[in-house]
Amino acid sequence: MNIDFSNIDGVIFDLDGTLVASELNFSVIKSHLGCPAEGDILVHIDSLADKQLQQQAHQYILDQELADAQNAAWLETGKWLVETVADRQLPMAIVTRNSIAATRLKISNNSIPIDLVVTREDAPPKPNPSALLSVARRWNIPPARCLYVGDFIYDQQAAQRAGMQFLMV
């Protein structure tokens, strides 16, 4: 993989499927929650009228994420990308739709050397670009000079909406 860093001043990574492996079975999770196959799980949960059902659904997602986090290991490409960016001494961040608890566990278990982390508890989840834009503001780097690295259409959509460069892995 060859990346031209000449127009990149900071790199933001997705977590699952980008830096670490994930065994979350979204088809099973969606089925359990009554979410349409093509629907967004988090949007579906927020649309539930019953607050108790919403709370139970959020707890179910959290339980699935925490179980997945126990065994999540570095992906070879993700590790190489982080090492490459670190060698270039560029700032790095993680923006994920994961919970903070599962994210912290994955970062800790894999000694991922990234301190700036934005989860769904911190900002609206992707494809909303808010989290990406908040990182660029914090770094004082124009969004166009940031690279977002991800593995899913929501990552690409968030990067495009934020005016950032995007790398699909």
Side-chain angles (χ1 to χ4, degrees):
M1 182 177 300
N2 194 12
I3 302 170
D4 178 6
F5 285 95
S6 62
N7 293 321
I8 299 170
D9 294 328
V11 180
I12 307 168
F13 296 95
D14 172 49
L15 184 60
D16 289 352
T18 301
L19 296 182
V20 298
S22 174
E23 300 299 322
L24 289 172
N25 186 329
F26 289 105
S27 296
V28 170
I29 292 170
K30 286 179 177 185
S31 176
H32 178 83
L33 296 174
C35 178
E38 297 301 317
D40 180 303
I41 295 170
L42 299 176
V43 170
H44 173 74
I45 292 172
D46 289 344
S47 74
L48 297 173
D50 184 321
K51 295 299 178 191
Q52 185 175 2
L53 283 178
Q54 274 186 1
Q55 184 179 8
Q56 290 170 349
H58 279 295
Q59 186 61 51
Y60 175 77
I61 295 286
L62 178 60
D63 293 344
Q64 299 303 306
E65 288 176 340
L66 289 172
D68 180 63
Q70 298 296 326
N71 300 312
W74 271 111
L75 291 169
E76 185 177 316
T77 300
K79 189 169 189 174
W80 177 83
L81 284 166
V82 168
E83 290 170 351
T84 300
V85 174
D87 287 347
R88 294 180 175 278
Q89 299 182 339
L90 296 174
M92 293 183 282
I94 293 172
V95 169
T96 179
R97 288 171 55 101
N98 251 313
S99 66
I100 187 65
T103 299
R104 285 183 178 155
L105 189 56
K106 290 176 181 187
I107 290 170
S108 174
N109 287 352
N110 292 284
S111 300
I112 297 174
I114 299 175
D115 296 326
L116 179 53
V117 177
V118 182
T119 69
R120 69 171 178 259
E121 288 101 343
D122 303 314
K126 301 169 292 183
N128 186 306
S130 298
L132 297 177
L133 291 169
S134 72
V135 171
R137 277 192 303 276
R138 183 169 178 170
W139 289 339
N140 198 26
I141 296 174
R145 295 200 53 90
C146 294
L147 173 67
Y148 186 50
V149 181
D151 70 313
F152 191 66
I153 187 68
Y154 290 163
D155 300 321
Q156 185 175 16
Q157 290 169 340
Q160 288 172 339
R161 292 172 184 172
M164 293 185 178
Q165 300 173 61
F166 180 70
L167 175 64
M168 178 73 79
V169 295

